[in-house]
Amino acid sequence: MRTRRAGNETVDDMTYVPLGSSEHAANQFRNARAMQDTTDYQSLRAAMDAEYYWRGVVETFQIADESFTAVSGATRDITDISAHVMARAADWVGTIELAAEGSRLYGALVAYTQGVGDGYAAIELWAHNVRNAHYR
């Protein structure tokens, strides 16, 4: 994760690194689950939302890592690899149930959707940076 300043608060930007970011996200997921050992309702809800958010990130990164591993065994062309990773991640995101804007859904699905979206955006940024570096 990168940290940046946004107004008066600090905001973390999610970053994806093939075969590396999944473990960080998995640690955050485990931490969120551990935080659920509380009797305070607000803390419990926040921890549950964090759990589902990080579950979305972890699953998205795992799909990308699986694709990266499979494709990099067949080619060393990093732009080809990044294109396959993006295609596989996009296909997966298109097949799962996500919260739709304006729908009345419970918090867990919304948090999961945000995690998937942030994970996908990080993968997309990685692929974009790979293409830009290759064509300079």
Side-chain angles (χ1 to χ4, degrees), residues 31-43:
N31 290 341
R33 292 196 69 177
M35 291 179 357
Q36 292 178 26
D37 187 20
T38 181
T39 56
D40 177 61
Y41 178 76
Q42 294 300 330
S43 297

Side-chain angles (χ1 to χ4, degrees), residues 40-58:
D40 177 61
Y41 178 76
Q42 294 300 330
S43 297
L44 178 61
R45 285 296 317 150
M48 289 174 70
D49 286 348
E51 174 190 355
Y52 280 92
Y53 173 84
W54 286 107
R55 180 186 308 266
V57 173
V58 167

Side-chain angles (χ1 to χ4, degrees), residues 71-128:
V71 175
S72 63
T75 182
R76 296 287 175 227
D77 182 350
I78 191 66
T79 58
D80 192 31
I81 293 169
S82 68
H84 282 278
V85 168
M86 276 306 306
R88 176 66 183 107
D91 179 58
W92 178 76
V93 168
T95 63
I96 60 173
E97 180 183 359
L98 297 174
E101 187 174 338
S103 63
R104 293 174 17 110
L105 298 168
Y106 57 98
L109 185 56
V110 171
Y112 179 78
T113 299
Q114 290 171 334
V116 169
D118 288 352
Y120 182 79
I123 294 165
E124 190 173 43
L125 180 61
W126 166 77
H128 176 76

